[in-house]
Amino acid sequence: MRRPSGALSPVRALLRGLPTLPAVILLAVFLAGPIGYCVYYAFTNMQLTGAGTTRFVGLDNFTRAFGDPDFLNAVWLTLVFVIGSAVVGQNTLGLALAVLMEKATKPIRALTNGVVIAAWVLPEVVAGYLMYAFFFDQGSLNSVLGAFGLPQQNWLYTMPILAVCLANVWRGTAFSMMVFSAALNDVPQELLEAAEMDGAGPWQRLWRIVLPTIRRSIMTNLMLITLQTLSVFGLIYTMTRGGPGNKSETLPIFMYQQAFQNSLIGYGTAIALVLLVVGALFSVVYIRLLTLEDD
């Protein structure tokens, strides 16, 4: 049987793939290896202290998790945190800043970019302490409210999930703003000028020309910031440690508490695996939407 025209022989295909072999090995050792161990430990009763021999327990950890009200609460708060601070907050504010920066003067643009990007480059723990100092009962927010005679409260106690959502929006908006700023440069100016001559207002031009043109950038940005927000740990742990009670206990916080504070490595790893699956599902949805756009 003759090989199709243009097809490589197995030996030549292998030789062409040799330069990528070191990268494949590194990925297998440092990425696939830990994920494999994570999957294994998720089906065991491994503990840090006070445990006998580690043994295989099947789906017991997952059954326990989905029957645990604290786990279900963590899943719900994770969805609230991701949708509120990433899908709505960072995405919308990043787009708004990018659009406004198109019309701003150079000094205003430089100042805004500097302030927004400074929040993004701060280490997560440092940003968490700054936001804690802003929201706690004697913090900056209550000082400003008191100066105007407005009611004050301990925001980290009364509305902890809202506080951490706003903190994550403040810290992460810069990434979305830069993505959308780059995308807006690809919008054909002649289309905007033609629409303006036809009487289209700013909102009409944004809705009918700008957003359809940059929709792929919007979907890509949504996927990236969703995956990043799912793994946020240091910001929340610094501000509230998941409290008060479990009112801001997202899945990464709950996983940490079970694995390292309660010493239940097997159970905590099962929760980590659930978080990995949630991230994969979000990715599949966004990739599917991009595919539909192409079709």
Side-chain angles (χ1 to χ4, degrees):
M1 181 177 179
R2 295 183 61 186
R3 185 180 297 113
S5 178
L8 295 176
S9 67
V11 175
R12 291 187 62 187
L14 181 61
L15 290 175
R16 292 188 64 174
L18 279 179
T20 64
L21 186 60
V24 172
I25 294 174
L26 289 174
L27 286 174
V29 173
F30 294 105
L31 182 62
I35 291 176
Y37 272 110
C38 176
V39 173
Y40 168 72
Y41 286 140
F43 294 92
T44 68
N45 67 339
M46 184 181 182
Q47 298 183 30
L48 282 178
T49 59
T53 304
T54 299
R55 59 185 178 84
F56 184 81
V57 295
L59 296 175
D60 287 359
N61 288 327
F62 298 95
T63 304
R64 173 182 176 180
F66 285 99
D68 185 352
D70 290 335
F71 171 79
L72 299 178
N73 174 73
V75 172
W76 165 247
L77 290 178
T78 300
L79 292 175
V80 171
F81 181 63
V82 170
I83 294 173
S85 68
V87 176
V88 176
Q90 293 181 31
N91 192 60
T92 304
L93 184 57
L95 178 60
L97 286 173
V99 172
L100 291 174
M101 289 303 98
E102 289 282 301
K103 303 297 182 182
T105 61
K106 188 174 181 179
I108 295 296
R109 187 161 54 245
L111 177 62
T112 304
N113 286 339
V115 171
V116 175
I117 294 175
W120 184 49
V121 300
L122 282 176
E124 199 172 60
V125 174
V126 176
Y129 275 116
L130 289 175
M131 287 291 98
Y132 174 83
F134 181 75
F135 282 112
F136 87 118
D137 55 351
Q138 298 178 10
S140 305
L141 179 57
N142 279 338
S143 297
V144 173
L145 294 176
F148 289 95
L150 298 173
Q152 306 170 45
Q153 57 184 305
N154 188 344
W155 302 94
L156 295 176
Y157 184 81
T158 57
M159 295 186 228
I161 192 64
L162 176 62
V164 296
C165 281
L166 293 175
N168 193 54
V169 170
W170 169 77
R171 182 176 182 269
T173 296
F175 179 80
S176 297
M177 184 187 72
M178 290 188 291
V179 170
F180 291 135
S181 294
L184 289 175
N185 290 330
D186 295 332
V187 178
Q189 291 300 312
E190 57 271 16
L191 289 180
L192 296 175
E193 293 170 0
E196 186 176 4
M197 292 180 62
D198 290 339
W203 286 108
Q204 289 177 314
R205 296 198 298 272
L206 176 65
W207 185 257
R208 296 181 180 276
I209 298 176
V210 175
L211 293 182
T213 303
I214 66 172
R215 61 185 181 275
R216 289 187 62 85
S217 296
I218 293 174
M219 295 306 303
T220 301
N221 178 68
L222 277 172
M223 181 174 67
L224 294 175
I225 63 175
T226 296
L227 295 178
Q228 186 276 330
T229 303
L230 276 173
S231 63
V232 169
F233 171 82
L235 185 73
I236 301 175
Y237 192 79
T238 303
M239 291 179 64
T240 66
R241 294 181 182 267
N246 60 0
K247 291 183 180 179
S248 60
E249 189 180 70
T250 58
L251 277 175
I253 302 293
F254 183 70
M255 173 188 65
Y256 171 82
Q257 291 175 343
Q258 296 301 318
F260 299 106
Q261 293 184 353
N262 298 340
S263 299
L264 302 175
I265 292 295
Y267 185 46
T269 307
I271 296 166
L273 196 58
V274 172
L275 185 61
L276 182 66
V277 171
V278 171
L281 290 176
F282 271 109
S283 299
V284 169
V285 171
Y286 287 135
I287 292 172
R288 179 59 180 164
L289 291 175
L290 282 173
T291 304
L292 291 176
E293 288 286 343
D294 293 337
D295 295 340

